[in-house]
Amino acid sequence: SVYLVIEGERLDALLSGEQEQRSLAALQDSVRMRAASLVKAGPFKQMSFTHIVRCAEAMTTHQIPAGTDVVREGDPGDYFYVIERGSAEVWRTNDQGDDDLVATIEAGATFGEEALLQNSTRNATVRMREDGELFRLAKSDFDLLLKSKLLGDISAEAAAEKMRQGKAELIDCRTDEEWELWRLPSARLMPLETIRERTRGLDPNREYVAYCRTGRRSDAAV
């Protein structure tokens, strides 16, 4: 006899991918375009296809010229964004009052979630480097569709057990001053304002648990 062997997870991915393509074909053109892009975007990669479609239906598409400030530092948080085409620069005001370029984000990147998760103002300005296209999700839809999907709470006891077994690492996203006053053993300091740059060195296959003083900053960090 001759038999073929395929890994179960790979088979599931192939079968689900086929169903996703069929489901995409049945959607309205604008929703289909957004859903096809969201599948490849950061926080959406681990979501079910059905949930991604719900997000795509709630979003709107916007053509943004180069040089436009999509969000401004200090403004209230109102929308969550996905870059479909083009790139943008992230600018933040330093202690001397000057603007510093802190990051460049490309197609597939998302931004704007920090202010929505913390119910605070924008902590940076995002400016288009070139003509681009963005998907936009209102705060009410973000709270309904994405907030619970982006975050996963864990009890102190469960976190401690993961640390004991070496299954996860701790990230402290408070300030340097708070870190000097008090911190959990074996934690790694990554203040929230530097989280995007510092997490690039983390292992994508490793599990991390973030903490802060109240939970708001660790929500945004996650």
Side-chain angles (χ1 to χ4, degrees):
S1 61
V2 177
Y3 61 92
L4 304 177
V5 178
I6 185 169
E7 194 176 46
E9 290 186 4
R10 187 175 181 188
L11 179 62
D12 290 343
L14 290 170
L15 293 175
S16 62
E18 181 180 343
Q19 293 303 314
E20 289 175 4
Q21 291 301 318
R22 292 180 181 177
S23 298
L24 275 174
L27 298 173
Q28 294 180 357
D29 289 346
S30 59
V31 176
R32 181 170 64 249
M33 180 194 70
R34 287 194 290 270
S37 296
L38 292 180
V39 168
K40 306 171 186 176
F44 298 91
K45 291 179 180 178
Q46 306 302 321
M47 296 181 189
S48 70
F49 180 72
T50 301
H51 199 84
I52 289 174
V53 169
R54 289 184 65 195
C55 294
E57 290 172 335
M59 287 177 165
T60 53
T61 303
H62 300 267
Q63 310 296 327
I64 310 295
T68 302
D69 288 346
V70 182
V71 301
R72 291 186 178 90
E73 185 174 0
D75 283 355
D78 47 4
Y79 292 98
F80 168 76
Y81 296 89
V82 180
I83 301 180
E84 158 62 6
R85 177 175 53 82
S87 61
E89 297 173 338
V90 182
W91 294 83
R92 185 174 291 133
T93 305
N94 60 32
D95 294 338
Q96 288 71 45
D98 299 321
D99 291 337
D100 291 333
L101 177 63
V102 296
T104 300
I105 49 180
E106 307 288 341
T110 63
F111 63 91
E113 66 273 15
E114 292 98 331
L116 302 185
L117 289 168
Q118 297 184 91
N119 289 316
S120 62
T121 57
R122 302 292 190 188
N123 61 10
T125 295
V126 178
R127 182 175 301 141
M128 296 301 295
R129 293 182 65 193
E130 54 188 333
D131 293 346
E133 186 172 88
L134 303 181
F135 301 153
R136 193 173 76 174
L137 186 68
K139 183 181 186 303
S140 57
D141 290 318
F142 175 87
D143 290 342
L144 177 66
L145 297 171
L146 279 185
K147 189 172 183 177
S148 63
K149 296 291 182 179
L150 293 175
L151 307 176
D153 289 333
I154 185 171
S155 68
E157 294 77 14
E161 182 62 19
K162 282 181 178 289
M163 304 305 132
R164 188 184 68 79
Q165 297 179 5
K167 293 182 176 179
E169 294 181 41
L170 277 174
I171 291 178
D172 187 328
C173 54
R174 301 173 304 150
T175 64
D176 295 285
E177 291 79 11
E178 290 172 299
W179 168 267
E180 290 298 329
L181 287 172
W182 175 88
R183 57 183 176 270
L184 291 175
S186 74
R188 182 189 304 202
L189 177 63
M190 288 189 176
L192 181 61
E193 59 271 21
T194 67
I195 201 77
R196 287 188 182 275
E197 297 76 28
R198 311 239 342 232
T199 51
R200 292 171 186 164
L202 297 182
D203 182 352
N205 298 313
R206 187 92 169 115
E207 185 174 359
Y208 297 92
V209 177
Y211 75 90
C212 65
R213 185 171 58 84
T214 64
R216 287 193 296 270
R217 282 175 289 176
S218 56
D219 279 354
V222 170

